[in-house]
């Protein structure tokens, strides 16, 4: 579903389209020191938009990527990770940043650069109680197909909003989650998030900031902390139920 581009995209603008695509990301890192890594990140996405609603926005050439195309890029990635474990951290932090440039030299139909910063912190609050925090920035410079623009919503960030409900060149979000034990292998979670999209960094928030909150039930499958997750979240005039086998962050 496509709602348009920008923070003012309204639910009444909803239009359906059909897409067939292949999308691959490859990342290779080399350790530098005991806690940090640096490496190369590559992405290739080829897509065909096979049907759109007649007379709607995607039925025109006004939206980059309205008929599909290929985007290929390469760039650098840096990661620092002090978490005590991978699947259910109780303390430490995780920070990764990468920039990927797409262009004709790599066989891309589009020329743009994408930068992502993902910062997480895990604060112990007592016996198996954890406060998990995340800040996430996704920024595009240039002309990217609409299906590769930063998106607000989904099962990882801004739960409660449908993935792609808002999209634009810039997407910044922050979320907090309190994770706590219930009984046996069951854990609970309460969470909230804020976020918005914009055309440029200096106009972020000018079109309004979205908010969402919810609660979750988790089942711990093993001592490494792998969980089955069931979350329900609500946003402004919307909501969503999420079931998956991984923590959101």
């Amino acid at each position: 579903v496509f709602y348009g581009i920008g923070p003012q995209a309204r639910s009444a603008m909803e239009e359906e389209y059909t897409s067939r695509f292949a999308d691959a990301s490859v990342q290779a890192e080399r350790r530098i020191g005991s806690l940090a890594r640096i490496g190369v990140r590559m992405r290739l996405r080829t897509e065909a938009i096979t049907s759109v609603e007649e007379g709607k926005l995607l039925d025109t050439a006004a939206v980059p990527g309205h008929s599909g195309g290929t985007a290929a890029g390469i760039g650098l990635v840096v990661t620092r990770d002090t978490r005590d474990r991978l699947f259910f951290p109780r303390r430490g932090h995780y920070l990764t940043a990468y920039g990927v440039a797409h262009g004709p030299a790599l066989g891309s139909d589009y020329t743009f650069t994408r930068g992502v910063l993902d910062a997480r912190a895990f604060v112990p609050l007592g016996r198996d109680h954890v406060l998990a925090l995340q800040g996430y920035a996704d920024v595009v410079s240039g002309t990217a197909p609409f299906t590769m623009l930063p998106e607000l919503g989904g099962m990882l960030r801004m739960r409660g909003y449908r993935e792609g409900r808002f999209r634009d060149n810039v997407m910044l979000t922050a979320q907090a989650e309190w994770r706590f034990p219930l009984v046996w292998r069951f854990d609970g979670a309460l969470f909230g998030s804020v976020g918005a999209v914009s055309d440029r960094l200096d106009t972020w928030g000018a079109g309004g900031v979205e908010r969402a909150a919810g609660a979750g039930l988790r089942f711990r499958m093993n001592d490494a902390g792998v969980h089955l997750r069931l979350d329900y979240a609500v946003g402004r005039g919307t909501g969503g139920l999420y079931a998956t086998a991984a923590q959101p962050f």
Side-chain angles (χ1 to χ4, degrees):
V1 176
F2 179 64
Y3 295 90
I5 295 173
Q8 301 299 332
R10 305 185 309 275
S11 58
M13 299 167 61
E14 174 182 321
E15 56 183 287
E16 295 183 354
Y17 69 96
T18 302
S19 168
R20 291 197 175 118
F21 66 91
D23 196 333
S25 295
V26 178
Q27 186 166 300
E29 294 178 297
R30 182 180 180 86
R31 188 172 295 280
I32 51 172
S34 60
L35 300 175
R37 305 185 300 271
I38 188 170
V40 176
R41 183 180 177 90
M42 297 170 284
R43 184 173 183 186
L44 173 65
R45 181 183 177 99
T46 181
E47 183 167 28
I49 307 296
T50 58
S51 68
V52 298
E53 291 190 39
E54 187 176 352
K56 295 291 187 73
L57 195 57
L58 291 180
D59 195 28
T60 72
V63 179
H66 68 98
S67 61
T70 297
I74 188 169
L76 295 176
V77 58
V78 178
T79 302
R80 177 176 170 83
D81 191 353
T82 69
R83 294 174 296 177
D84 57 345
R85 57 181 180 175
L86 178 62
F87 297 110
F88 192 80
R90 290 191 175 94
R91 57 176 46 85
H93 66 264
Y94 172 86
L95 176 67
T96 187
Y98 64 81
V100 176
H102 303 71
L106 299 169
S108 178
D109 298 325
Y110 303 93
T111 301
F112 65 98
T113 300
R114 184 180 209 132
V116 170
L117 175 65
D118 184 354
R120 312 175 190 182
F122 302 91
V123 183
L125 300 178
R127 183 178 176 85
D128 291 332
H129 290 248
V130 178
L131 177 63
L133 305 168
Q134 182 188 39
Y136 192 91
D138 192 349
V139 179
V140 162
S141 175
T143 302
F146 78 95
T147 55
M148 292 186 70
L149 287 175
E151 296 179 338
L152 182 150
M155 68 173 60
L156 300 179
R157 291 171 292 275
M158 291 299 294
R159 285 164 283 175
Y161 287 83
R162 187 171 187 170
E163 187 173 4
R165 174 62 185 85
F166 296 96
R167 68 181 86 205
D168 209 333
N169 291 327
V170 176
M171 189 272 289
L172 304 180
T173 66
Q175 63 178 326
E177 182 169 288
W178 172 32
R179 301 168 181 172
F180 50 89
L182 291 175
V183 61
W184 190 48
R185 290 181 173 270
F186 288 97
D187 298 318
L190 297 174
F191 54 86
S193 58
V194 295
V197 300
S198 62
D199 180 52
R200 304 188 313 272
L201 272 171
D202 60 356
T203 60
W204 186 88
V209 176
E210 304 297 326
R211 298 169 177 82
L217 180 67
R218 319 290 165 80
F219 178 75
R220 190 171 65 254
M221 299 181 65
N222 55 37
D223 292 337
V226 178
H227 282 71
L228 295 177
R229 172 167 67 98
L230 185 67
D231 289 343
Y232 184 77
V234 294
R236 180 168 54 93
T238 184
L241 180 68
Y242 307 91
T244 184
Q247 295 285 5
F249 64 98

